[in-house]
Amino acid sequence: MQPERIPASTSGTRRFHHRREIVPPLRGLLRGWIALPLLALALGSQLACGPGEAAPPEGPGIIILGFDGLDYDLTRKLMTEGRLPNFQRLAEQGQGLRPLGTSIPPQSPVAWSDFITGLDSGGHGIYDFVHRDPETMAPYLSTSQLEEPDEMLEIGEWQFPLSGGGAELLRYGTPFWEPAQEHGVPSTIVRMPANFPVTGTAGRELSGMGTPDIVGSYGTFSFYTSELFFDDDVSGGNVYEAWPEDGVVHASLYGPQNPFLQRKERISLPFRVHIDPEEPVVKLVVGGEERILRVGEWSDWVPLEFELIPTQTLPAMARFYLKTLEPEFQLYVSPLNYDPVNPALPISHPEDYARELAEATGRYYTQGMPEDTQALKGEILSREEFLAQATIVREEMLDQYRHVLEEFRGGLLFYYMGSADMVSHMIWDALDPTHPAYDAAEDEPFADVLPSIYEELDTMVGYTLDTMPPDTLLVVMSDHGFTSWRRSFNLNSWLRDNGYLAVKNPDLTEDPGFFGNVDWSRTLAYGLGINGLYVNLRGREANGIVP
């Protein structure tokens, strides 16, 4: 699959695995943009080392904390109320709290790509969370793709790659840390969105939003239940029947298709759940790992090994949550994450940096958007259970950040936190009693969830101010804000009603799947993703008709 053709004005920019010289007109543009963050940083707070002790720094430093979805108005309100004393301290010692413009469209992978490169979507090529292959019309993740091997050796039912393959970053443009590193500024870029696979141009990198799970999605959970006729039409996850027999549940975890088999067959890993006859507790057995779980308890990370061929395995890991035993058995399993101790894809640079972080603070979510909003939307997890899972994510990241900050000796450090964004998507309505869908009984108990998360981030800011080396500038930034969702617009419905998109059967009530009811021979335009609008272009789309 190929990304959209980039306009000629950016045809000289570089892309991961394809390093090319920047054309002269862009050199000035990129150089000019690189001055912008330095100007912003100069407006930040230059503070001496606080109570915490740090090793002697190698030189002056810049720390950028990227808090996804941190809303300007809510931050200002909480600062006024005295709930964010460290934000207030930073504002008073620097240049205050300032609103920033966001990207067009205002989506996280787009905004962070703007920040990384100084280009807009027309330059870096990221327009949405998903794009589509114009030849097949199949969707794919917008920021990266897995490349198939160029040549395969076929032996019986097996096939073996001879060349090619791997992962490719689809974002164009030069990341701002590349010239910094080239000019002697040591750079550590941790969890930067739209940076998988990592560029390898910073001293140390760990990928963030855009990093897939092992099945190649943004996050596909599994749910095992003994409930008859359970609605398995759940977006973002798979539901499996799982029945206790003689006190034991036998089930399997499912990974991607086995790349070594010529036929399409998903790899799997069996597991057992032994149910205690008297207590609400189970013993989970998967591979050589065992865990004891009580109802309502989350496991730690369980390392997994999926066999591909007798000599090759795919390492992964998952968290298990025992939801209920009575009246039904219900077990949630997180998306299968790449194991940072032994990652199968390039999630860090150097390659052992992911392992170094895991050895320092424990295994952690490598999946780019770890808070499982889909499980909450599908009513697999309750609000309380979702928030408990989101808390696990934040605790992992905060532990990891403390280690990263301890290692910081000057230069450039970027660290990303996405929990405020992901939880805002799910809980923001609890802040808006005037919303038509507000339910006091359901929403009021959650009214302080987001302010409390902002307070956690405030603690992170305070820890940074107190422990960072002398001669360090601290910048706290966000990619976009938040507000109530009171209306929505279905682009494809509008295109259909106005004669731009034709359907095969206008009376169809059940969705047949991705574009399954579209009559491409009469369709001029179509929508994809959150706001993507495409022309059904002849010579580009497989069934294009527009000259």
Side-chain angles (χ1 to χ4, degrees), residues 104-266:
I104 300 175
Q107 296 183 34
S108 290
V110 182
W112 289 112
S113 294
D114 284 11
F115 170 65
I116 291 169
T117 65
L119 306 171
D120 63 11
S121 293
H124 56 62
I126 307 302
Y127 299 86
D128 204 308
F129 280 91
V130 294
H131 290 175
R132 85 319 169 226
D133 179 355
E135 296 179 2
T136 64
M137 302 307 296
Y140 63 94
L141 307 185
S142 64
T143 56
S144 66
Q145 70 177 359
L146 299 182
E147 298 175 309
E148 298 292 333
D150 298 327
E151 298 180 70
M152 302 293 288
L153 173 65
E154 298 180 358
I155 302 177
E157 64 175 344
W158 303 99
Q159 59 182 8
F160 302 93
L162 297 178
S163 63
E168 182 180 17
L169 176 64
L170 300 180
R171 169 179 49 74
Y172 287 78
T174 301
F176 66 84
W177 58 83
E178 182 174 326
Q181 186 76 30
E182 290 174 351
H183 286 78
V185 180
S187 302
T188 300
I189 309 296
V190 182
R191 298 184 178 274
M192 177 68 79
N195 196 45
F196 168 82
V198 294
T199 64
T201 58
R204 292 180 294 185
E205 292 177 70
L206 180 70
S207 64
M209 181 188 296
T211 307
D213 59 13
I214 73 165
V215 301
S217 74
Y218 279 136
T220 302
F221 65 84
S222 300
F223 187 63
Y224 301 82
T225 178
S226 61
E227 182 178 342
L228 284 172
F229 309 115
F230 188 90
D231 184 6
D232 61 357
D233 185 18
V234 179
S235 177
N238 295 310
V239 178
Y240 303 97
E241 292 184 356
W243 300 85
E245 296 182 6
D246 298 325
V248 181
V249 175
H250 293 268
S252 292
L253 303 170
Y254 295 94
Q257 292 181 1
N258 192 333
F260 292 101
L261 283 174
Q262 293 189 49
R263 68 177 184 276
K264 293 184 177 180
E265 181 178 300
R266 295 179 68 185

Side-chain angles (χ1 to χ4, degrees), residues 300-342:
D300 62 351
W301 282 111
V302 180
L304 310 168
E305 290 282 343
F306 288 85
E307 183 177 292
L308 300 172
I309 56 177
T311 59
Q312 294 286 333
T313 61
L314 174 61
M317 62 179 189
R319 284 187 181 270
F320 294 76
Y321 173 69
L322 183 60
K323 187 175 175 75
T324 63
L325 287 176
E326 296 290 343
E328 304 292 347
F329 171 81
Q330 293 184 328
L331 178 72
Y332 163 93
V333 183
S334 73
L336 302 176
N337 279 229
Y338 286 103
D339 188 347
V341 173
N342 188 18

Side-chain angles (χ1 to χ4, degrees), residues 399-417:
D399 287 345
Q400 185 181 82
Y401 175 68
R402 282 189 281 267
H403 168 74
V404 171
L405 187 57
E406 286 177 4
E407 298 294 309
F408 181 62
R409 299 291 184 269
L412 170 65
L413 168 61
F414 174 91
Y415 197 92
Y416 169 91
M417 294 282 287

Side-chain angles (χ1 to χ4, degrees), residues 49-122:
C49 185
E53 295 183 1
E58 297 177 356
I62 297 169
I63 297 175
I64 306 174
L65 298 181
F67 293 158
D68 202 302
L70 199 76
D71 182 66
Y72 170 78
D73 290 330
L74 181 56
T75 301
R76 183 176 58 181
K77 175 178 180 291
L78 295 175
M79 288 172 63
T80 301
E81 295 172 355
R83 298 188 62 173
L84 305 180
N86 295 302
F87 273 90
Q88 187 65 40
R89 178 158 58 122
L90 178 62
E92 291 173 354
Q93 299 186 47
Q95 294 293 319
L97 177 70
R98 301 291 181 87
L100 300 174
T102 186
S103 60
I104 300 175
Q107 296 183 34
S108 290
V110 182
W112 289 112
S113 294
D114 284 11
F115 170 65
I116 291 169
T117 65
L119 306 171
D120 63 11
S121 293

